[in-house]
Amino acid sequence: MKKSLWVAMIGALAVSVVAASAQEVLSANTIGYIKRQLPAGGDLITVSVPLFNMTAPNNVFSNLSVAAEVPTLSSASFWDPGTQSWNSGTKKAKGGWDANVATQIVGVGEFFFVKGPATSTVPTEITIAGEVPDVATQIRAIPGSSSLGSMANPYPADFVFGTSSLASNATVLSSVSIWDAGSQSWNSGTKKAKGGWDSNVATARVAATEGFFLKEVGTVTSWTNTKPYTWP
């Protein structure tokens, strides 16, 4: 798990304990904050939200701190697994985000693209905030049948793709594409009948709040991920 997240969680827990002590009630909620950099010059990054919303049943895009913090003329793109196409919109100076993305629900274990304005000359710090998941497992649906699915760790932790249950359970000839924000290109590979996943993706580290595409060629339709930490 990223050090910045752990520091934020520890600080938040301390605050909640102090506040709760005054009321003689101990809060069980642990708040996490993960900082990301939206690059200058209109470069793309993948973003996921591996934290629960504390005041609503879902994470609606326009209510996220990410949506508020990115500059005007930034854009967001969400993958629709049904139509196999993007749902994209822009943040306007008047009226905010286009309605089609403003109401978009960000699912558990789903990534979306964020792109700053091409005219930006400095990076923008964005924040992903919410309650740290304490459930033992989380399930992310996979389209299967050679359709592309947008995937991300539903927990706020880095992981190596090749060591994940998603990689081991994928059907032979399935493929994965992991976005490299530095080169602004995909790092892609396939699962072979002999030798397993191509080495470039088998050893790829997917950072917390980043995402990737999986093309599952068979009938595997879900990824059950186990909580990778013991606290909370």
Side-chain angles (χ1 to χ4, degrees):
M1 182 175 295
K2 288 193 171 182
K3 182 178 179 181
S4 59
L5 176 62
W6 278 113
V7 171
M9 286 195 301
I10 292 168
L13 180 61
V15 170
S16 67
V17 170
V18 170
S21 296
Q23 301 173 29
E24 298 183 355
V25 177
L26 182 61
S27 172
N29 296 329
T30 303
I31 310 304
Y33 300 91
I34 305 172
K35 298 292 186 180
R36 293 283 305 275
Q37 290 286 328
L38 179 63
D43 281 358
L44 289 161
I45 60 170
T46 58
V47 178
S48 68
V49 185
L51 302 169
F52 294 157
N53 191 308
M54 294 192 66
T55 60
N58 296 303
N59 282 312
V60 177
F61 176 67
S62 58
N63 294 335
L64 298 176
S65 52
V66 171
E69 291 169 352
V70 297
T72 298
L73 299 183
S74 294
S75 61
S77 297
F78 296 85
W79 184 250
D80 185 328
T83 63
Q84 292 287 285
S85 62
W86 292 106
N87 175 34
S88 301
T90 304
K91 187 177 183 179
K92 307 294 198 304
K94 292 184 178 180
W97 285 97
D98 290 332
N100 60 305
V101 294
T103 57
Q104 178 78 41
I105 293 175
V106 182
V108 173
E110 171 189 13
F111 88 83
F112 55 96
F113 270 119
V114 177
K115 180 180 180 180
T119 54
S120 64
T121 57
V122 294
T124 301
E125 185 176 78
I126 59 176
T127 308
I128 296 141
E131 182 181 346
V132 178
D134 62 352
V135 294
T137 60
Q138 295 194 76
I139 299 174
R140 169 63 175 155
I142 302 171
S145 303
S146 296
S147 293
L148 286 169
S150 65
M151 311 296 292
N153 192 352
Y155 293 99
D158 300 356
F159 75 101
V160 176
F161 175 74
T163 64
S164 68
S165 60
L166 178 66
S168 61
N169 292 332
T171 305
V172 170
L173 297 183
S174 294
S175 60
V176 66
S177 295
I178 303 169
W179 184 249
D180 185 327
S183 64
Q184 291 290 286
S185 62
W186 294 105
N187 175 28
S188 301
T190 304
K191 187 175 185 178
K192 307 296 197 301
K194 293 184 178 180
W197 287 95
D198 291 331
S199 59
N200 59 303
V201 294
T203 59
R205 179 172 290 276
V206 182
T209 75
E210 294 182 345
F212 54 95
F213 270 126
L214 179 74
K215 185 178 182 180
E216 163 59 50
V217 300
T219 57
V220 179
T221 56
S222 65
W223 173 27
T224 300
N225 202 358
T226 302
K227 185 175 72 165
Y229 44 83
T230 58
W231 182 87

